[in-house]
Amino acid sequence: MRTSSSVLLAAGGTAALMALGLGPAAAHVHVTPDTTAAGESALLTFDLSHGCEGSPTKSLTFTLPDELVDATPTAHAGWDIKKVTEELAEPRTLPNGSQVSSRTHQIVYTAKEPLADGVRDTITLGVDLPDAEDTTLAFPVLQSCEKGESDWSQIPAAGQTDHDLDSPAPAVTITEADDDDHGDHDVDDSHATAPERASAEDRNDDDDAAEIAGYVGLGAGLLGLAAGVTALIRTRGRSRV
Protein backbone atom coordinates (compact mmCIF):
# COMPACT_ATOMS: atom_id res chain seq x y z
CA MET A 1 0.00 0.00 0.00
CA ARG A 2 2.86 2.37 0.81
CA THR A 3 4.42 1.71 -2.60
CA SER A 4 1.13 2.36 -4.38
CA SER A 5 0.60 5.55 -2.38
CA SER A 6 4.10 6.72 -3.19
CA VAL A 7 3.55 6.08 -6.89
CA LEU A 8 0.25 7.94 -6.86
CA LEU A 9 1.76 10.90 -5.01
CA ALA A 10 4.68 11.05 -7.43
CA ALA A 11 2.37 10.86 -10.43
CA GLY A 12 0.15 13.57 -8.98
CA GLY A 13 3.12 15.82 -8.30
CA THR A 14 4.46 15.34 -11.84
CA ALA A 15 1.06 16.14 -13.33
CA ALA A 16 0.82 19.29 -11.23
CA LEU A 17 4.27 20.45 -12.31
CA MET A 18 3.42 19.76 -15.95
CA ALA A 19 0.22 21.71 -15.59
CA LEU A 20 2.10 24.64 -14.13
CA GLY A 21 4.69 24.52 -16.87
CA LEU A 22 2.27 24.06 -19.78
CA GLY A 23 -0.51 26.31 -18.58
CA PRO A 24 0.90 29.64 -19.82
CA ALA A 25 2.22 28.10 -23.06
CA ALA A 26 -1.14 26.52 -23.87
CA ALA A 27 -2.85 29.88 -23.33
CA HIS A 28 -0.80 31.81 -25.89
CA VAL A 29 -2.37 33.65 -28.81
CA HIS A 30 -0.94 31.91 -31.88
CA VAL A 31 -0.61 33.12 -35.48
CA THR A 32 -0.55 30.98 -38.61
CA PRO A 33 0.41 32.67 -41.93
CA ASP A 34 -0.58 31.20 -45.28
CA THR A 35 2.78 32.42 -46.63
CA THR A 36 5.93 33.96 -45.18
CA ALA A 37 7.65 34.77 -48.50
CA ALA A 38 9.15 38.26 -48.76
CA GLY A 39 7.05 40.72 -50.74
CA GLU A 40 3.96 38.48 -50.80
CA SER A 41 0.41 39.21 -49.66
CA ALA A 42 -0.30 37.04 -46.63
CA LEU A 43 -3.29 36.05 -44.54
CA LEU A 44 -2.41 35.85 -40.85
CA THR A 45 -4.80 33.77 -38.77
CA PHE A 46 -4.70 34.40 -35.01
CA ASP A 47 -6.40 31.89 -32.72
CA LEU A 48 -7.21 31.74 -29.03
CA SER A 49 -9.28 29.45 -26.82
CA HIS A 50 -9.07 31.06 -23.40
CA GLY A 51 -10.16 34.09 -21.45
CA CYS A 52 -8.31 36.03 -18.75
CA GLU A 53 -8.00 33.49 -15.95
CA GLY A 54 -11.40 32.12 -16.90
CA SER A 55 -13.11 35.47 -17.61
CA PRO A 56 -14.83 35.82 -21.06
CA THR A 57 -13.05 37.88 -23.73
CA LYS A 58 -14.60 41.23 -24.68
CA SER A 59 -12.09 42.59 -27.21
CA LEU A 60 -8.80 41.93 -29.01
CA THR A 61 -6.48 44.80 -29.99
CA PHE A 62 -3.84 43.91 -32.59
CA THR A 63 -0.86 46.28 -32.83
CA LEU A 64 0.87 46.26 -36.21
CA PRO A 65 4.69 46.22 -36.39
CA ASP A 66 6.39 49.41 -37.60
CA GLU A 67 7.30 47.73 -40.91
CA LEU A 68 3.63 47.69 -41.96
CA VAL A 69 1.51 50.71 -42.89
CA ASP A 70 -1.80 48.88 -43.12
CA ALA A 71 -3.65 45.60 -42.71
CA THR A 72 -7.01 44.38 -43.97
CA PRO A 73 -9.20 42.91 -41.23
CA THR A 74 -11.46 40.03 -42.26
CA ALA A 75 -15.14 40.44 -41.41
CA HIS A 76 -16.09 38.06 -38.62
CA ALA A 77 -19.61 37.36 -37.42
CA GLY A 78 -20.13 38.41 -33.82
CA TRP A 79 -17.33 40.98 -33.81
CA ASP A 80 -17.21 44.72 -34.53
CA ILE A 81 -14.02 46.01 -36.20
CA LYS A 82 -12.25 49.37 -35.91
CA LYS A 83 -8.96 50.67 -37.29
CA VAL A 84 -6.80 53.04 -35.24
CA THR A 85 -4.42 55.23 -37.26
CA GLU A 86 -1.38 57.29 -36.31
CA GLU A 87 0.60 60.03 -38.04
CA LEU A 88 4.09 59.19 -39.23
CA ALA A 89 7.03 61.34 -38.19
CA GLU A 90 8.10 61.36 -41.85
CA PRO A 91 6.19 60.37 -45.01
CA ARG A 92 6.89 56.81 -46.13
CA THR A 93 7.26 55.68 -49.74
CA LEU A 94 5.43 52.47 -50.60
CA PRO A 95 6.71 49.86 -53.10
CA ASN A 96 4.32 51.25 -55.75
CA GLY A 97 5.94 54.68 -55.45
CA SER A 98 3.12 56.44 -53.58
CA GLN A 99 3.72 58.20 -50.27
CA VAL A 100 1.72 58.00 -47.04
CA SER A 101 1.82 60.27 -44.02
CA SER A 102 -0.18 58.01 -41.68
CA ARG A 103 -0.44 54.30 -40.98
CA THR A 104 -2.78 51.82 -39.37
CA HIS A 105 -1.42 51.38 -35.86
CA GLN A 106 -3.99 49.01 -34.39
CA ILE A 107 -7.00 46.95 -35.36
CA VAL A 108 -9.59 46.35 -32.65
CA TYR A 109 -12.09 43.48 -32.68
CA THR A 110 -14.89 43.92 -30.14
CA ALA A 111 -17.14 40.95 -29.35
CA LYS A 112 -20.88 41.61 -29.53
CA GLU A 113 -21.23 38.82 -26.97
CA PRO A 114 -18.18 38.03 -24.80
CA LEU A 115 -16.29 34.92 -25.92
CA ALA A 116 -16.47 32.33 -23.18
CA ASP A 117 -13.29 30.83 -21.76
CA GLY A 118 -12.50 27.50 -23.38
CA VAL A 119 -14.21 28.38 -26.68
CA ARG A 120 -11.85 28.64 -29.66
CA ASP A 121 -12.08 31.46 -32.18
CA THR A 122 -9.91 32.87 -34.97
CA ILE A 123 -9.26 36.34 -36.37
CA THR A 124 -7.65 36.86 -39.80
CA LEU A 125 -5.72 39.91 -41.03
CA GLY A 126 -4.46 40.45 -44.57
CA VAL A 127 -1.04 42.12 -44.86
CA ASP A 128 1.61 42.83 -47.49
CA LEU A 129 4.85 41.39 -46.20
CA PRO A 130 7.90 43.65 -46.68
CA ASP A 131 10.72 42.57 -48.94
CA ALA A 132 13.09 41.83 -46.06
CA GLU A 133 14.13 38.22 -45.54
CA ASP A 134 14.82 36.97 -42.01
CA THR A 135 12.88 39.87 -40.50
CA THR A 136 10.56 38.93 -37.63
CA LEU A 137 7.28 40.83 -37.40
CA ALA A 138 5.68 40.82 -33.95
CA PHE A 139 1.94 41.48 -33.51
CA PRO A 140 1.24 42.30 -29.86
CA VAL A 141 -2.33 41.43 -28.85
CA LEU A 142 -4.14 43.02 -25.91
CA GLN A 143 -6.91 40.69 -24.76
CA SER A 144 -9.51 42.55 -22.70
CA CYS A 145 -11.95 40.47 -20.65
CA GLU A 146 -14.95 41.08 -18.40
CA LYS A 147 -12.52 40.79 -15.51
CA GLY A 148 -8.92 41.75 -16.18
CA GLU A 149 -6.84 41.56 -19.35
CA SER A 150 -3.88 39.69 -20.86
CA ASP A 151 -1.20 41.62 -22.74
CA TRP A 152 0.50 39.29 -25.24
CA SER A 153 3.36 41.63 -26.12
CA GLN A 154 6.65 40.18 -24.90
CA ILE A 155 9.44 39.95 -27.51
CA PRO A 156 12.15 37.28 -27.06
CA ALA A 157 15.61 38.67 -26.34
CA ALA A 158 18.72 37.25 -27.98
CA GLY A 159 18.96 33.57 -27.15
CA GLN A 160 15.35 33.34 -25.99
CA THR A 161 12.28 31.69 -27.52
CA ASP A 162 8.55 32.06 -26.91
CA HIS A 163 8.76 29.22 -24.39
CA ASP A 164 10.94 31.41 -22.18
CA LEU A 165 8.24 34.10 -21.92
CA ASP A 166 5.00 34.29 -20.01
CA SER A 167 3.11 36.45 -22.52
CA PRO A 168 4.85 36.29 -25.92
CA ALA A 169 3.55 38.31 -28.83
CA PRO A 170 2.53 36.22 -31.86
CA ALA A 171 5.16 36.70 -34.57
CA VAL A 172 5.96 35.84 -38.18
CA THR A 173 9.46 35.52 -39.65
CA ILE A 174 9.80 36.49 -43.32
CA THR A 175 11.47 33.93 -45.56
CA GLU A 176 13.03 33.98 -49.01
CA ALA A 177 10.90 35.37 -51.83
CA ASP A 178 9.17 32.94 -54.18
CA ASP A 179 10.67 32.82 -57.69
CA ASP A 180 8.01 30.60 -59.25
CA ASP A 181 6.93 31.80 -62.70
CA HIS A 182 3.17 31.42 -62.74
CA GLY A 183 1.23 31.36 -65.98
CA ASP A 184 1.85 29.71 -69.35
CA HIS A 185 2.86 31.76 -72.36
CA ASP A 186 2.56 30.90 -76.06
CA VAL A 187 5.85 30.93 -77.93
CA ASP A 188 6.06 33.31 -80.92
CA ASP A 189 8.96 34.14 -83.22
CA SER A 190 9.97 37.21 -81.22
CA HIS A 191 10.44 35.18 -78.01
CA ALA A 192 11.38 31.78 -79.42
CA THR A 193 14.82 30.32 -78.94
CA ALA A 194 17.08 29.58 -81.91
CA PRO A 195 16.14 25.87 -82.02
CA GLU A 196 12.45 26.78 -81.86
CA ARG A 197 12.82 29.27 -84.72
CA ALA A 198 14.81 26.73 -86.75
CA SER A 199 12.13 24.10 -86.17
CA ALA A 200 9.42 26.55 -87.23
CA GLU A 201 11.37 27.48 -90.36
CA ASP A 202 11.84 23.79 -91.22
CA ARG A 203 8.11 23.22 -90.88
CA ASN A 204 7.43 26.20 -93.16
CA ASP A 205 9.96 24.92 -95.73
CA ASP A 206 8.34 21.49 -95.67
CA ASP A 207 4.91 23.05 -96.20
CA ASP A 208 6.19 25.11 -99.14
CA ALA A 209 7.85 22.07 -100.71
CA ALA A 210 4.67 20.04 -100.36
CA GLU A 211 2.64 22.82 -101.93
CA ILE A 212 5.04 23.09 -104.93
CA ALA A 213 5.02 19.32 -105.36
CA GLY A 214 1.27 19.41 -105.45
CA TYR A 215 1.21 22.02 -108.18
CA VAL A 216 3.81 20.08 -110.21
CA GLY A 217 1.79 16.92 -109.88
CA LEU A 218 -1.37 18.72 -110.96
CA GLY A 219 0.42 20.20 -113.99
CA ALA A 220 1.82 16.81 -114.96
CA GLY A 221 -1.61 15.30 -114.71
CA LEU A 222 -3.14 17.98 -116.96
CA LEU A 223 -0.35 17.50 -119.53
CA GLY A 224 -0.92 13.76 -119.47
CA LEU A 225 -4.65 14.26 -119.96
CA ALA A 226 -4.05 16.62 -122.88
CA ALA A 227 -1.64 14.16 -124.50
CA GLY A 228 -4.17 11.36 -124.13
CA VAL A 229 -6.93 13.43 -125.74
CA THR A 230 -4.62 14.38 -128.65
CA ALA A 231 -3.66 10.75 -129.22
CA LEU A 232 -7.31 9.72 -129.19
CA ILE A 233 -8.24 12.37 -131.79
CA ARG A 234 -5.39 11.31 -134.09
CA THR A 235 -6.37 7.67 -133.80
CA ARG A 236 -9.96 8.37 -134.76
CA GLY A 237 -8.81 10.52 -137.71
CA ARG A 238 -6.69 7.71 -139.14
CA SER A 239 -9.45 5.17 -138.80
CA ARG A 240 -11.76 7.37 -140.84
CA VAL A 241 -9.25 7.61 -143.67
Side-chain angles (χ1 to χ4, degrees), residues 107-126:
I107 295 179
V108 183
Y109 277 76
T110 302
K112 296 178 181 179
E113 292 291 337
L115 179 66
D117 178 59
V119 177
R120 181 177 179 274
D121 207 345
T122 60
I123 300 295
T124 302
L125 302 179

Side-chain angles (χ1 to χ4, degrees), residues 23-24 26-30 46-63 79 106-111 114-121 123 139-153 166-170:
H28 294 173
V29 175
H30 301 281
F46 300 82
D47 68 86
L48 74 159
S49 59
H50 53 83
C52 307
E53 297 183 355
S55 180
T57 300
K58 294 173 55 180
S59 67
L60 297 167
T61 300
F62 299 85
T63 298
W79 296 80
Q106 293 177 327
I107 295 179
V108 183
Y109 277 76
T110 302
L115 179 66
D117 178 59
V119 177
R120 181 177 179 274
D121 207 345
I123 300 295
F139 295 81
V141 179
L142 177 62
Q143 179 183 8
S144 299
C145 301
E146 290 185 334
K147 294 182 180 179
E149 61 183 22
S150 295
D151 189 9
W152 306 98
S153 60
D166 293 329
S167 302

